[in-house]
Amino acid sequence: AQSVTQLGSHVSVSEGALVLLRCNYSSSVPPYLFWYVQYPNQGLQLLLKYTSAATLVKGINGFEAEFKKSETSFHLTKPSAHMSDAAEYFCAVTSELGWGKLQFGAGTQVVVTP
Amino acid sequence: GAGVSQSPRYKVAKRGQDVALRCDPISGHVSLFWYQQALGQGPEFLTYFQNEAQLDKSGLPSDRFFAERPEGSVSTLKIQRTQQEDSAVYLCASSSPGLAGKNIQYFGAGTRLSVL
């Protein structure tokens, strides 16, 4: 069985400040991990993915995440927040098993203040 | 089209009505997934198709939910005798052939179903 826990349902950051969104996973097999972003009334857009290559993964819009097996974590960061980063962010896990169906966390809503 | 297309974008149904939600995946994508996203929650897996074969329907919440993909392209999710608890956004995603777990799933904008 696989699961994802996202710590913090809401995060408020100042424009220009560090964005840090936490994701911890549970998986009995080597995981593949994803971060998706969802803007209002839109579908999910992939930010980045980890599929067992480099542990530090760079994605779109300046985001990156580091896979830490010892901590079972895949936290998402961005050095400097922009107003356009206001959205909901979802961490998801899958593996080679189960057809690739994604198990999502509950999401973290990011608010960016001027 | 360039992306996954879902229709209708919004659907209001009276309790007890049947509804049909359509998904047009990216051309050539073998894999197709349906997810249900309740308000304030992450998406939850409903069912999976590989071409026209429904290989996993373990996430369908009841026998009122039925999905099909008869020609391996367009898919329809049907909900019979809708209940208020069916109110949610229904997301469709498709991905290209290859190792399933590593492939990116491309999501449509979803259908927001409201059952009154």
Side-chain angles (χ1 to χ4, degrees):
Chain A
Q2 298 178 307
S3 66
V4 167
T5 301
Q6 291 185 241
L7 297 177
S9 59
H10 288 81
V11 169
S12 182
V13 297
S14 299
E15 192 174 15
L18 171 72
V19 180
L20 170 61
L21 305 182
R22 299 180 186 275
C23 172
N24 288 88
Y25 70 91
S26 173
S27 179
S28 57
V29 296
Y32 300 145
L33 294 156
F34 301 78
W35 275 100
Y36 280 86
V37 61
Q38 187 176 36
Y39 297 100
N41 298 316
Q42 295 187 27
L44 301 170
Q45 179 183 4
L46 182 73
L47 283 176
L48 48 80
K49 66 175 183 177
Y50 166 77
T51 56
S52 75
T55 57
L56 181 62
V57 181
K58 295 188 183 299
I60 63 171
N61 301 339
F63 285 94
E64 65 180 38
E66 185 171 9
F67 173 71
K68 292 187 177 180
K69 184 178 179 180
S70 61
E71 299 178 8
T72 60
S73 69
F74 190 57
H75 301 331
L76 181 71
T77 61
K78 181 174 180 177
S80 176
H82 295 166
M83 297 299 290
S84 60
D85 294 328
E88 187 146 27
Y89 294 78
F90 293 95
C91 182
V93 64
T94 186
S95 71
E96 289 185 4
L97 308 177
W99 318 115
K101 62 185 177 184
L102 294 167
Q103 183 74 38
F104 286 89
T108 298
Q109 184 71 46
V110 172
V111 174
V112 182
T113 57
Chain B
V4 178
S5 178
Q6 292 187 246
S7 61
R9 287 295 314 278
Y10 304 92
K11 177 69 178 177
V12 178
K14 292 182 179 179
R15 190 174 58 180
Q17 278 187 329
D18 297 348
V19 298
L21 314 179
R22 176 187 171 103
C23 173
D24 281 88
I26 293 172
S27 178
H29 277 191
V30 169
S31 296
L32 187 145
F33 301 82
W34 283 98
Y35 294 87
Q36 180 190 56
Q37 185 176 19
L39 188 64
Q41 311 265 340
E44 292 196 0
F45 170 79
L46 292 177
T47 188
Y48 166 70
F49 288 87
Q50 188 174 93
N51 294 307
E52 70 279 3
Q54 188 176 21
L55 299 184
D56 188 342
K57 53 183 180 179
S58 62
L60 296 177
S62 77
D63 59 7
R64 296 185 295 104
F65 286 70
F66 172 76
E68 60 183 5
R69 195 186 184 195
E71 298 179 357
S73 178
V74 171
S75 177
T76 303
L77 177 66
K78 297 179 179 178
I79 309 173
Q80 298 177 326
R81 304 180 304 282
T82 53
Q83 303 295 315
Q84 284 190 322
E85 61 263 29
D86 299 335
S87 296
V89 175
Y90 291 85
L91 296 168
C92 176
S94 69
S95 65
S96 59
L99 187 59
K102 289 188 176 183
N103 290 344
I104 296 171
Q105 291 183 29
Y106 295 88
F107 283 80
T111 295
R112 183 178 298 275
L113 174 65
S114 298
V115 181
L116 305 178

